[in-house]
Amino acid sequence: MSVVIGFLFMAAVYLMLSKSLIRIIIGTGLLSHGAHLLLLTMGGLGGISPPVVADGVSVSDYADPLPQALILTAIVISFAVTSFFLVLAYRSYQELGTDNMDLLRGTEDHE
Amino acid sequence: MSNLLLFPIIIPLFFATVLMIFPKRLKLQRFLAATGAAATLIAALVLLAKVNAEGVQAVTLGSWPAPFGISMVSDPLSALLVVTTSIITLFVVFYSFPTIGVKREQSFYYPAVLFLMVGVNGAFTTGDIFNLFVFVEVLLMASYTLIVHGGEKPQLRESIKYLLVNIISSALFVAAVAFLYSVTGTLNMADLAVKIPQIEETGILTVIAVMFLVVFGFKAAIFPLYFWLPGSYYSPPVPILALFGALLTKVGVYAIMRTYTLFFTMNITFTHELLGIIAILTILAGCVGALAYFDVKKIIIYNIIIAVGVILFGIAQLNQPGVDGSIFYLLHDMLIKAALFFLVGIVAVLFGTTDLRKMGGLIKTYPFLGWTYLVAAFGLAGIPPLSGFPGKLLIVQGGFEGPQFWGSIVILATSLIVLLSAVRIFIYAFWGEPVETVPLKKSVFNQMFIPTVILVAITVVFGVGAELFMPFISGAGEVLLNPSIYIDAVLKE
């Protein structure tokens, strides 16, 4: 699991360092996936019983439900932000005519 | 158990939701937005009075016992910040009427402002570290809307960068929360404050503390993570800029204040010294920017960065004068930054440019505006008896009592630079050869100027009557320095 998370973070950083806006957006998506998986892993994996207190079920039998609730929240938020980012990218491509970050520097020569 | 502390969050949420139904009804939009902000202010004032009279208020949602449910906590610090936020939002709404433009007003501008208020008030009130993340996302989402609102080319260009920086810092926030959870097994701040001292491995907690410093540092714009701020804040119109400059970075500052006094206190010699050094570097970096530009907006934007450094330096000292000073300076800075942005906004409208070199001689045509600006500029630099002075005095005193006395010397020296940068605007814009100004209707000018004057007057009262406000400030400082008060209030519910 840690290897997958590390790979996701690595791929995200690589994509976010590129010039094309759409690659950057995919990179941010991967970055938040990595963070969510990290949250899941840190809560502790393992256990097959449903997290309901019953006879004969001890705490070690089920996975911690709290990180799953947290991830759900985080996924919804990152979904909203990613869709906003995509719309913003499309709109700025229409207005500014480019998706190359080099041309979006905003110094005095590029208005 | 009191639900009162939820009102400053729910009222703007309710009004914002209602406002989204009829975006084109201009008068109703303005009226309801102002009513919503005013109602929030009243709720916040009642809350402050209650917190002051009865001590820290806490409510755990869903009636779960404290470490399991989501706690909302209102201690004197967060109540004061909620009041200040509500004041600023109310004035920003008033200032927006003449400045923001009908087209923006009719496309969900006021709901976005109120949603921002929801996020900021929520972040100040929450007592759960993951809930803090959620409220930060709420306010960021509103701020994304506001920064791109209107869709001008520079706005689109800068909002991409703003969005990217914040997405990265949010992902790091989730990662930092994950690590903290795996080490401590809890996310309730009061419970964290109980659990963390019991853990013997302080090394890993120090790493997590620094990770949180990076996460909040992105929001608070500390050195070296402030790089995104000048560009992004420069592009939106002045009322939005005032709202961002006064509120957004302060959420990051508040989060650092809270976490670094409540539970990340296991390795003070490392984390707080690091915080102190970063604070000083932040001040120096801000000073370079404040002097380098000839643009009124840029100068004030760099002054935000300086103020963040000053506040964090006081917190890093972790002694009573330092923390009291930080709280005082934080409140002062929120008010004065909003006032200054309003003032430079008026100046920029009058000249039709933000470039200082194309301005001059405004004192002849608008003398009252000039003197108001001078008062605000002196307040910013901390000339007694104005509001910047008591806070800075206490922070400097805290620095001399702590190990980092050299930091206090830097703060004193940079006060002069702050004064220079603010007075430079006065000299260029108000003195010198009169430059032709854009003709402006008297009524429009007054609509912009009256909220500004009132806000400046509030900062003057806050400074002159510092003695009056000190009990509130030292009450807030006491809770920060004695986490047991906070912990008891939450866990004994």
Side-chain angles (χ1 to χ4, degrees):
Chain A
M1 213 48 177
S2 334
V3 177
V4 176
I5 295 163
F7 183 79
L8 279 173
F9 270 85
M10 183 196 78
V13 170
Y14 173 74
L15 282 171
M16 282 191 295
L17 288 176
S18 58
K19 285 177 189 170
S20 155
L21 192 50
I22 204 78
R23 278 166 178 252
I24 291 174
I25 297 175
I26 296 171
T28 61
L30 287 183
L31 185 69
S32 34
H33 289 331
H36 299 157
L37 280 179
L38 183 72
L39 196 53
L40 190 70
T41 319
M42 285 294 143
L45 300 168
I48 45 165
S49 306
V52 179
V53 179
D55 283 343
V57 180
S58 72
V59 181
S60 55
D61 286 342
Y62 54 80
D64 189 348
L66 186 69
Q68 300 172 18
L70 302 182
I71 290 169
L72 191 60
T73 319
I75 287 173
V76 173
I77 291 171
S78 77
F79 163 72
V81 173
T82 308
S83 57
F84 184 81
F85 204 174
L86 281 168
V87 173
L88 180 68
Y90 179 64
R91 178 75 195 275
S92 52
Y93 177 73
Q94 278 183 325
E95 290 277 327
L96 302 165
T98 176
D99 70 338
N100 186 338
M101 288 308 276
D102 266 357
L103 302 176
L104 292 172
R105 270 190 196 157
T107 46
E108 267 136 42
D109 0 317
H110 306 95
E111 182 43 56
Chain B
M1 176 78 99
S2 155
N3 286 330
L4 182 66
L5 57 104
L6 299 177
F7 276 82
I9 306 165
I10 292 174
I11 294 173
L13 183 69
F14 171 75
F15 275 92
T17 318
V18 170
L19 280 176
M20 286 173 76
I21 301 170
F22 38 79
K24 301 288 173 207
R25 303 273 298 276
L26 189 59
K27 278 196 177 139
L28 201 58
Q29 285 272 322
R30 287 179 173 185
F31 174 73
L32 279 183
T35 321
T40 315
L41 178 58
I42 292 166
L45 285 171
V46 174
L47 174 65
L48 179 63
K50 195 172 165 77
V51 168
N52 202 40
E54 295 173 20
V56 181
Q57 300 288 313
V59 56
T60 306
L61 302 179
S63 293
W64 289 77
F68 303 110
I70 296 172
S71 295
M72 304 296 277
V73 188
S74 200
D75 70 335
L77 172 63
S78 68
L80 280 169
L81 287 170
V82 167
V83 169
T84 319
T85 306
S86 311
I87 293 174
I88 289 166
T89 317
L90 182 63
F91 281 104
V92 167
V93 168
F94 282 131
Y95 188 81
S96 302
F97 293 162
T99 47
I100 196 80
V102 173
K103 214 173 156 207
R104 280 200 175 94
E105 282 181 282
Q106 285 182 337
S107 37
F108 304 104
Y109 169 72
Y110 293 116
V113 170
L114 290 178
F115 276 126
L116 188 79
M117 195 181 189
V118 174
V120 174
N121 281 347
F124 286 150
T125 315
T126 184
D128 182 288
I129 197 114
F130 191 78
N131 199 231
L132 177 68
F133 164 74
V134 174
F135 273 118
V136 165
E137 286 303 312
V138 170
L139 79 90
L140 282 178
M141 203 69 207
S143 76
Y144 300 152
T145 323
L146 284 173
I147 202 167
V148 78
H149 205 266
E152 288 162 18
K153 280 182 184 174
Q155 279 185 303
L156 286 166
R157 191 183 62 217
E158 293 305 330
S159 55
I160 293 173
K161 298 164 198 168
Y162 178 74
L163 210 69
L164 183 60
V165 165
N166 279 304
I167 289 174
I168 293 170
S169 87
S170 297
L172 285 177
F173 200 160
V174 175
V177 166
F179 288 134
L180 188 63
Y181 182 72
S182 81
V183 174
T184 61
T186 180
L187 292 173
N188 187 301
M189 289 194 204
D191 203 26
L192 279 171
V194 176
K195 294 258 167 66
I196 282 184
Q198 295 167 2
I199 294 170
E200 284 174 11
E201 282 287 323
T202 51
I204 183 126
L205 284 168
T206 309
V207 173
I208 295 172
V210 174
M211 259 189 99
F212 271 101
L213 184 62
V214 172
V215 169
F216 297 138
F218 265 115
K219 318 258 192 270
I222 63 175
F223 179 86
L225 306 169
Y226 69 92
F227 57 89
W228 56 272
L229 187 130
S232 301
Y233 278 21
Y234 185 73
S235 57
V238 173
I240 298 175
L241 174 61
L243 203 59
F244 282 18
L247 300 182
L248 287 195
T249 52
K250 304 305 179 293
V251 173
V253 172
Y254 165 80
I256 294 176
M257 265 178 147
R258 179 62 78 203
T259 52
Y260 270 63
T261 56
L262 189 60
F263 46 85
F264 287 137
T265 47
M266 60 287 147
N267 192 357
I268 291 175
T269 43
F270 179 75
T271 47
H272 287 63
E273 198 177 318
L274 177 71
L275 186 62
I277 293 168
I278 287 177
I280 295 299
L281 288 173
T282 312
I283 296 174
L284 293 175
C287 283
V288 173
L291 289 180
Y293 286 94
F294 272 98
D295 187 300
V296 283
K297 274 157 98 182
K298 275 260 159 74
I299 292 173
I300 308 289
I301 287 171
Y302 274 102
N303 268 302
I304 300 175
I305 298 170
I306 299 175
V308 167
V310 173
I311 298 164
L312 289 180
F313 183 74
I315 282 298
Q317 302 314 309
L318 211 63
N319 52 18
Q320 201 225 336
V323 170
D324 283 2
S326 291
I327 297 167
F328 196 99
Y329 201 79
L330 178 58
L331 300 176
H332 143 79
D333 190 62
M334 289 167 82
L335 292 167
I336 199 82
K337 284 286 141 59
L340 274 173
F341 278 122
F342 285 180
L343 284 163
V344 300
I346 297 176
V347 171
V349 168
L350 284 171
F351 286 110
T353 171
T354 54
D355 190 342
L356 272 182
R357 281 166 293 199
K358 293 177 189 151
M359 297 180 176
L362 206 59
I363 200 84
K364 294 204 176 91
T365 37
Y366 293 93
F368 200 43
L369 177 68
W371 297 121
T372 316
Y373 177 77
L374 196 65
V375 169
F378 282 172
L380 176 75
I383 289 181
L386 296 166
S387 59
F389 176 69
K392 223 169 212 172
L393 179 72
L394 285 169
I395 290 174
V396 168
Q397 191 194 336
F400 280 125
E401 284 176 16
Q404 291 170 317
F405 62 91
W406 50 271
S408 295
I409 299 171
V410 175
I411 290 183
L412 288 174
T414 51
S415 296
L416 293 175
I417 298 179
V418 172
L419 182 65
L420 175 65
S421 71
V423 166
R424 218 161 56 119
I425 299 181
F426 184 76
I427 292 174
Y428 274 93
F430 291 96
W431 289 355
E433 286 296 305
V435 175
E436 202 173 330
T437 55
V438 178
L440 197 63
K441 260 198 251 160
K442 192 79 190 156
S443 64
V444 176
F445 176 75
N446 281 339
Q447 267 185 321
M448 291 189 331
F449 192 49
I450 288 168
T452 317
V453 170
I454 299 172
L455 203 54
V456 174
I458 291 174
T459 66
V460 172
V461 171
F462 190 53
V464 176
E467 205 64 43
L468 211 65
F469 297 99
M470 246 6 242
F472 292 94
I473 308 281
S474 50
E478 203 190 326
V479 176
L480 284 190
L481 288 171
N482 301 311
S484 55
I485 306 176
Y486 187 94
I487 298 166
D488 287 348
V490 179
L491 295 183
K492 293 245 168 79
E493 262 305 321

